[in-house]
Amino acid sequence: MTGAALDGFHGSSGRSDWQERRAFVTGATGIVGSWLVRELLARGAYVVVLIKDADPQSELFRSGDIRRTSVVNGCLEDYGTLERAISLHEPDTVFHLGAQALVAVAQRSPLSTFETNIRGTYNVLEACRVHHALVQRVVVASSDKAYGETDRLPYTEELPLDGRHPYDVSKSCGDLLAQSYHHAYGLPVAVARCGNVYGGGDLNWSRIVPGTIRSILRGSSPVIRSDGTFTRDYIYVRDVAAAYVTLAERLERDSVHGQAFNFSDESPLSVLEMVDRIARVMATDVRPDVRATATGEIRHQHLSSVKARRILGWQPAFSLDRGLRETVDWYRAFLD
């Protein structure tokens, strides 16, 4: 299966296999979690979601997909909740996406970020280890931030994990914990490291894509917290959902256990270039408000996905412009 299998959420060759599977998803109200749940449901999987706070604006709720899942209320920091969820619902596949995902929040509140992103990760992994007779595959969502800052671009999976700022450190630690549980206990886990994810359902307006779209729709100037020259690669959320499903399927192979994979469209852009691409898709001109106040941010990051293409057979199905068009349509409907 490649990223193209996600198109329309139908017709995947792996669909019949997922009808026999039970999946547990943390972070299901987030942007990626919501679209991953939709994809799993479309494939016929039985889906259990962990929800800390019910957010009616989340795509999981707005789409109605929440009514097609089994809900476990609780938080990642509570090991008992996770262990009970796995024991009760008997998932064979666990997708750990739950995290405090904002760099600025991590900079202000490192302790709560570490509790969620580090303690939460080892709690999930430990519950999977304890119930190894049930859990056959685990996908842990990491990030390009796990690599920290390096001049060696693009980032490849062989680079050391060297986060320095609070958010980056939390992702480095979670990533290493997943690898530790494989090497020490044989847990069938793999790690996904993505670039900047964008798409409908992201309501963190401080991020460049939703913030820019909302500003343009309101007739105001998009706010750029950095100086606008920071470069990132951007990957559409539906491509990310396809990547996670592909990675879970490939965990049938022992050779994938304990491995990490980068997922990217491999076309880095500066923040100012991304704002310009959004404006072009929306057929308008903008003059961004560049504030240069961001702290704790890595200046240049982008990923190589050669390993994912070679071993997993994954590739993105959406061009940047196509992904942005779908994203703009989502926000027009949401903000109307």
Side-chain angles (χ1 to χ4, degrees):
M1 187 195 77
T2 68
L6 192 66
D7 247 350
F9 302 101
H10 295 290
S12 167
S13 61
R15 184 180 176 91
S16 61
D17 293 338
W18 283 96
Q19 289 177 348
E20 306 299 323
R21 292 185 181 178
R22 303 169 69 88
F24 179 45
V25 181
T26 72
T29 58
I31 172 178
V32 180
S34 296
W35 289 93
L36 174 62
V37 167
R38 181 175 300 180
E39 170 65 4
L40 292 169
L41 290 171
R43 292 167 180 267
Y46 173 86
V47 180
V48 183
V49 296
L50 177 72
I51 294 180
K52 179 180 180 180
D53 299 313
D55 182 0
Q57 291 191 315
S58 164
E59 182 65 9
L60 180 70
F61 284 82
R62 293 183 74 252
S63 66
D65 288 338
I66 185 68
R67 295 191 297 271
R68 302 167 60 202
T69 69
S70 293
V71 177
V72 175
N73 293 115
C75 62
L76 291 167
E77 297 88 337
D78 182 1
Y79 171 76
T81 295
L82 297 168
E83 188 277 327
R84 181 184 67 84
I86 292 177
S87 178
L88 178 64
H89 292 281
E90 300 181 335
D92 51 72
T93 307
V94 173
F95 294 94
H96 175 43
L97 281 62
Q100 190 299 100
L102 296 176
V103 173
V105 172
Q107 195 72 13
R108 289 194 304 269
S109 306
L111 180 59
S112 60
T113 299
F114 293 155
E115 286 290 312
T116 300
N117 294 3
I118 300 175
R119 183 190 296 274
T121 297
Y122 67 64
N123 280 346
V124 170
L125 294 168
E126 178 65 9
C128 291
R129 183 191 70 83
V130 167
H131 292 291
H132 61 87
L134 297 173
V135 179
Q136 300 170 24
R137 56 196 74 83
V138 183
V139 173
V140 171
S142 184
S143 166
D144 55 357
K145 306 297 186 293
Y147 291 110
E149 190 163 12
T150 175
D151 293 332
R152 294 171 58 186
L153 295 170
Y155 292 2
T156 62
E157 291 85 352
E158 291 72 30
L159 285 173
L161 303 181
D162 192 28
R164 299 296 176 90
H165 300 295
Y167 179 75
D168 310 342
V169 167
S170 76
K171 302 310 289 185
S172 297
C173 288
D175 201 310
L176 288 168
L177 284 165
Q179 295 179 57
S180 174
Y181 266 80
H182 166 68
H183 291 293
Y185 307 111
L187 193 70
V189 60
V191 175
R193 300 172 185 158
C194 295
N196 282 26
V197 180
Y198 72 93
D202 186 358
L203 302 181
N204 291 309
W205 304 109
S206 63
R207 290 180 176 149
I208 192 64
V209 174
T212 297
I213 294 171
R214 185 175 70 166
S215 294
I216 292 174
L217 290 174
R218 291 180 171 180
S220 59
S221 296
V223 173
I224 297 179
R225 295 180 297 110
S226 70
D227 64 7
T229 65
F230 289 30
T231 56
R232 298 287 188 269
D233 43 10
Y234 296 86
I235 182 168
Y236 187 42
V237 65
R238 290 176 64 183
D239 279 328
V240 177
Y244 288 173
V245 171
T246 298
L247 186 51
E249 291 176 345
R250 299 299 184 263
L251 276 165
E252 299 292 343
R253 308 173 187 165
D254 290 347
S255 60
V256 175
H257 295 182
Q259 295 287 318
F261 295 90
N262 293 338
F263 297 101
S264 165
D265 75 346
E266 301 180 297
S267 301
L269 296 171
S270 72
V271 176
L272 287 171
E273 287 171 333
M274 187 59 168
V275 170
D276 181 65
R277 291 291 286 271
I278 295 169
R280 278 194 280 160
V281 165
M282 298 180 73
T284 189
D285 294 318
V286 295
R287 181 172 295 178
D289 177 5
V290 181
R291 298 187 176 178
T293 58
T295 59
E297 294 269 13
I298 295 168
R299 181 164 288 276
H300 300 296
Q301 283 189 306
H302 58 96
L303 300 169
S304 166
S305 293
V306 170
K307 181 179 178 182
R309 291 198 304 270
R310 175 172 52 87
I311 296 177
L312 305 179
W314 174 88
Q315 61 184 10
F318 291 83
S319 67
L320 178 62
D321 286 346
R322 182 183 172 199
L324 285 175
R325 283 194 296 270
E326 288 197 4
T327 302
V328 169
D329 288 345
W330 189 95
Y331 285 105
R332 286 188 193 277
F334 177 79
L335 294 169
D336 185 6

